[in-house]
Amino acid sequence: MIAFGPVPSRRLGRSLGINNIPPKICTYACTYCQVGRTLKMQVERQAFYEPEEILKAVQDKVQNARDLGETIDYLTFVPDGEPTLDINLGLEVEWLKPLGIKIAVITNASLTWREDVREDLMKADWVSLKVDSAQQEVWRRSNRPHGNLQLASILDGMLEFAQVYPGELVTETMLVNGINDGAGSVSEVASFLALLRPARAYLAIPTRPPAEEWVRPPDEAAVNRAYQILSQQLDQVEYLIGYEGNAFAFTGNVEQDLLSITAVHPMREDAVGAFLARAGADSPVVRRLMAQGQLVATEYEGQRFYVRKLHQPPAEE
Ligand code: SF4
């Protein structure tokens, strides 16, 4: 299906997905890919569908949603592969603009060294770039890139893009246990992101069955450590850990609000105390959430933090 949704997305509100790449053609074969193993690896751009076909599929879905009174916040290129492999991506973005809905592209950034790819991405309103590692060895193990790709050129391409991109640029770093969740690897990512200056840096963990069965998410302590390391260099760091938390919508329900906030970022013990005091609640709430297995306490550099309990992805069927 070329167009699907709209589906709720924490980053994009109600997002109508555009699948402009057949499954699964990609420049990477990430260990954690939730679309499954890469069936065809390639780095050459090509046309996969007629742009008219994509436009029609999206127009129909938008009309359908509008008839049902559903809102759409973004049209999002989030295919079963790498969206920038589509040589018509820029044209499709241009053709979709008259629908009056903002356009997002979620890319692994592996082709940003190409000027034509950067030009296509410039046309979107919101772009997410994947930065799992800034170290050659770790990048190879995590993303398992096509042999013709060079990490240094990709990082340079991202920086070149970020300097001129007028839209909202975010990054996504998927942490995998034992691959890129160590302090050294995360520090290198943080230094790179400090140069890139995204509006927001997201930290993700695998929450759905990964391409490789052995892939595990990091534990809460490692996710918290990554958050703290990134936060030392960046203002806006958020979790994407599979919960639809919204730290900015307070319901008045202390338990729910604590879980929503910790789904987006860890909370230091004193911040939790201040939050409970403001809400007129007390610490049994925290103990109860910990006893229920929903909240976990972890230490980082002598400070105690509360984080959402992470769930292991189910094994692949
Ligand atoms: S870049 Fe995305 S689609 Fe490609 S293998 Fe990695 S996770 Fe899967």
Side-chain angles (χ1 to χ4, degrees), residues 20-317:
N20 63 328
I21 304 286
K24 189 204 135 176
I25 304 172
C26 196
T27 53
Y28 283 176
C30 302
T31 55
Y32 55 77
C33 183
Q34 64 183 38
V35 186
R37 291 204 168 137
T38 298
L39 300 175
K40 187 167 180 223
M41 289 203 72
Q42 71 176 60
V43 288
E44 303 81 32
R45 305 186 81 194
Q46 67 169 85
F48 295 95
Y49 300 103
E50 293 298 330
E52 290 83 357
E53 197 182 344
I54 293 196
L55 180 67
K56 172 89 174 64
V58 177
Q59 276 173 334
D60 288 352
K61 272 278 174 199
V62 168
Q63 191 54 52
N64 210 4
R66 284 179 173 160
D67 289 348
L68 293 169
E70 293 183 24
T71 53
I72 301 171
D73 300 305
Y74 275 93
L75 303 174
T76 309
F77 285 84
V78 52
D80 293 338
E82 170 46 35
T84 61
L85 278 172
D86 179 359
I87 202 159
N88 293 315
L89 177 65
L91 185 66
E92 288 152 10
V93 171
E94 270 172 27
W95 282 8
L96 291 169
K97 289 218 163 172
L99 288 170
I101 306 170
K102 285 198 266 189
I103 297 176
V105 181
I106 298 179
T107 169
N108 68 16
S110 62
L111 299 180
T112 50
W113 52 273
R114 292 181 58 126
E115 195 178 348
D116 58 344
V117 167
R118 294 197 301 272
E119 278 168 7
D120 284 358
L121 291 174
M122 287 286 286
K123 296 173 181 162
D125 301 285
W126 186 99
V127 169
S128 173
L129 303 175
K130 183 189 290 297
V131 187
D132 290 344
S133 176
Q135 291 172 313
Q136 179 92 353
E137 224 6 75
V138 181
W139 171 67
R140 285 205 191 289
R141 276 196 291 143
S142 175
N143 300 123
R144 299 190 299 192
H146 187 286
N148 288 358
L149 294 172
Q150 299 292 333
L151 179 62
S153 327
I154 295 171
L155 298 177
D156 284 349
M158 284 196 247
L159 290 174
E160 206 162 319
F161 176 69
Q163 273 166 17
V164 291
Y165 180 57
E168 186 171 348
L169 181 72
V170 306
T171 58
E172 185 173 329
T173 302
M174 179 71 88
L175 295 172
V176 173
N177 184 14
I179 300 276
N180 66 341
D181 62 339
S185 174
V186 174
S187 296
E188 296 266 341
V189 170
S191 300
F192 173 73
L193 296 184
L195 298 173
L196 193 77
R197 300 167 59 87
R200 208 164 258 113
Y202 289 98
L203 276 176
I205 60 161
T207 54
R208 300 191 205 145
E212 303 301 338
E213 221 179 290
W214 51 263
V215 164
R216 290 285 170 272
D219 61 19
E220 288 82 3
V223 177
N224 181 41
R225 180 178 60 210
Y227 181 94
Q228 305 305 334
I229 293 172
L230 257 55
S231 295
Q232 281 162 12
Q233 304 220 41
L234 299 156
D235 291 337
Q236 300 285 342
V237 185
E238 284 188 19
Y239 284 165
L240 272 185
I241 55 178
Y243 301 103
E244 292 306 310
N246 181 353
F248 314 105
F250 291 95
T251 65
N253 177 324
V254 176
E255 291 193 9
Q256 274 316 313
D257 288 345
L258 261 183
L259 291 175
S260 294
I261 297 168
T262 51
V264 179
H265 53 73
M267 277 180 93
R268 240 168 61 178
E269 191 171 32
D270 52 355
V272 172
F275 172 79
L276 294 177
R278 270 202 313 279
D282 49 22
S283 52
V285 175
V286 173
R287 281 206 293 278
R288 199 157 54 240
L289 291 174
M290 288 175 70
Q292 289 167 356
Q294 302 208 68
L295 211 58
V296 174
T298 181
E299 304 275 329
Y300 179 74
E301 292 192 340
Q303 299 275 5
R304 191 176 170 88
F305 291 87
Y306 292 99
V307 299
R308 269 297 281 263
K309 172 89 181 145
L310 304 175
H311 291 153
Q312 296 284 327
E316 204 163 8
E317 290 176 4

